[in-house]
Amino acid sequence: MEIKKVGVIGCGLMGHGIVQVAAQGGCEVIAVEAQQDFLDKGLARIEKSVKKLAEKAVEKGKATPEQAEAQAAATLGRIHGSLDKKDLADCDLVIEAIVENLDVKKALFKELGGLCAAKTIFASNTSSFPIGEMAAASGRPARFVGLHFFNPVQLMRLVEVVRTDATDEEVFAAARAFGEACGKSPVSCKDTPGFVVNRLLVPYMVQALQMLERGDATKEDIDTAMQLGCGYPMGPLTLTDYVGLDTTLFILQGWKERYPNEPAFEVPALLVKLVAEGKLGRKTGEGFYKWDGDKRS
Ligand code: 3HC
């Protein structure tokens, strides 16, 4: 069960990175978006990132300029944009990386279940929703996994591969092998809220937000403390900006609804307020901090 042709639905923050690493791993990739301008934006980000990684490879002496250029061109040549989900019909694997809304995801998988060949494996990049519910909606629960990548997908080395009780062993093995082909280290997860990383990470972000709400420390001091005290590459508030305040809120609201008595899943009022103000983090130029591209001020 080899994965050679991959479809990715959604070419945003996570989707564009998944398209890129799959193409870097040698797969033909169809990137599907709902609108041409979203697709153009995603493909432009990929081109920029591929070029950056090629420059880095030359700088580090891992490739000559000619080799790096040829590799970058080959990666980009394997990526095809589309506005039509029907183009995914004969893919070996289709990964969903759309908005973090369970009803929208379930409707998408129901549609894909009718469109794609019987061999096609489906995967969701959801951060927090039950894989089993999407698997049921798709009509092919045995061929359904979670493939949870991390932001920025191009640089983060982990992928969580999530199975339900219904996932076929061969499908799960193929999904792990695909993760490795993308240059990632896969970890196997059960279908539990937040899998491994977000079950630990999101409550930690909530604690940092509540600390800020209470006025226990400034945002800068909270972030510096965790960076220098724990050796984390980013402090929790910078990381929330990086992940997206809206995404963090969607995750928490989904969990709160399902597990109302779990104290780790409290939704901080400050998060709700900032999202309502359109301060979603790096992607909108402002969250806890102001952002100019990748640079925080
Ligand atoms: N493609 C190619 N190159 C990129 C890139 C990309 N997407 N993003 C950054 N780079 C380049 C930068 O341009 C930079 O190049 P330079 O050295 O020539 O300037 C280089 O990579 C290193 O970047 P930085 O200078 O920003 O330095 P860092 O060493 O701090 O690395 C980082 C950046 C990898 C993002 C690091 O800060 C980090 O690991 N942060 C934590 C990220 C994290 O925890 N992610 C997980 C979030 S949780 C999640 O995604 C789950 C979800 O479900 C919520």
Side-chain angles (χ1 to χ4, degrees):
M1 205 184 283
E2 206 184 341
I3 291 171
K4 289 187 175 154
K5 185 169 180 184
V6 177
V8 179
I9 306 187
C11 206
L13 190 64
M14 299 302 287
H16 88 278
I18 299 172
V19 169
Q20 182 177 331
V21 296
Q24 284 168 188
C27 296
E28 286 295 317
V29 189
I30 318 261
V32 175
E33 255 300 354
Q35 283 177 222
Q36 189 64 47
D37 52 339
F38 294 165
L39 185 60
D40 291 344
K41 203 171 157 201
L43 295 177
R45 278 176 99 164
I46 292 171
E47 198 170 332
K48 193 172 157 206
S49 173
V50 166
K51 288 191 174 149
K52 180 88 199 172
L53 294 175
E55 276 169 29
K56 286 261 172 197
V58 174
E59 254 173 53
K60 289 185 182 162
K62 289 186 179 163
T64 64
E66 294 73 24
Q67 284 167 336
E69 202 176 308
Q71 215 170 12
T75 296
L76 294 173
R78 284 192 281 270
I79 298 172
H80 316 279
S82 168
L83 299 179
D84 190 352
K85 292 189 219 63
K86 290 197 192 83
D87 290 339
L88 304 176
D90 67 341
C91 283
D92 302 308
L93 169 69
V94 173
I95 307 169
E96 159 282 309
I98 62 167
V99 65
E100 195 65 1
N101 177 314
L102 184 58
D103 289 337
V104 178
K105 287 180 194 282
K106 278 160 70 174
L108 172 67
F109 281 116
K110 188 170 178 217
E111 184 186 355
L112 290 173
L115 277 181
C116 293
K119 68 167 184 177
T120 308
I121 296 172
F122 289 157
S124 171
N125 179 57
T126 182
S127 313
S128 61
F129 288 128
I131 298 298
E133 287 199 27
M134 288 176 272
S138 76
R140 56 179 81 179
R143 302 189 75 74
F144 205 109
V145 290
L147 274 171
H148 185 217
F149 290 85
F150 293 83
N151 177 27
V153 178
Q154 294 90 341
L155 305 186
M156 302 307 284
R157 288 160 43 216
L158 182 70
V159 62
E160 291 178 322
V161 188
V162 186
R163 69 172 129 203
T164 70
D165 292 342
T167 307
D168 185 286
E169 271 309 317
E170 272 185 61
V171 167
F172 188 68
R176 278 189 64 106
F178 168 74
E180 280 168 6
C182 292
K184 308 299 172 198
S185 295
V187 293
S188 302
C189 299
K190 290 189 180 168
D191 191 14
T192 58
F195 318 124
V196 173
V197 171
N198 280 344
R199 181 65 180 84
L200 295 170
L201 181 67
V202 175
Y204 153 73
M205 288 152 117
V206 168
Q207 287 294 314
L209 261 144
Q210 289 175 338
M211 201 176 258
L212 183 66
E213 275 178 332
R214 290 193 302 268
D216 293 349
T218 64
K219 58 181 189 250
E220 291 84 1
D221 282 349
I222 294 169
D223 278 347
T224 302
M226 292 313 288
Q227 265 191 292
L228 303 188
C230 291
Y232 291 0
M234 289 175 171
L237 300 166
T238 305
L239 184 59
T240 310
D241 268 2
Y242 205 79
V243 166
L245 274 64
D246 52 341
T247 303
T248 309
L249 182 61
F250 289 148
I251 294 172
L252 277 167
Q253 285 173 332
W255 285 350
K256 190 72 195 162
E257 208 178 300
R258 269 164 205 277
Y259 310 98
N261 300 322
E262 172 54 68
F265 300 161
E266 280 308 318
V267 184
L270 180 58
L271 185 62
V272 177
K273 176 176 170 287
L274 290 173
V275 171
E277 288 168 2
K279 293 176 183 163
L280 308 185
R282 188 178 63 136
K283 63 183 157 191
T284 54
E286 187 173 357
F288 295 103
Y289 297 93
K290 293 217 163 92
W291 291 80
D292 180 12
D294 271 347
K295 299 278 166 276
R296 201 196 84 180
S297 58

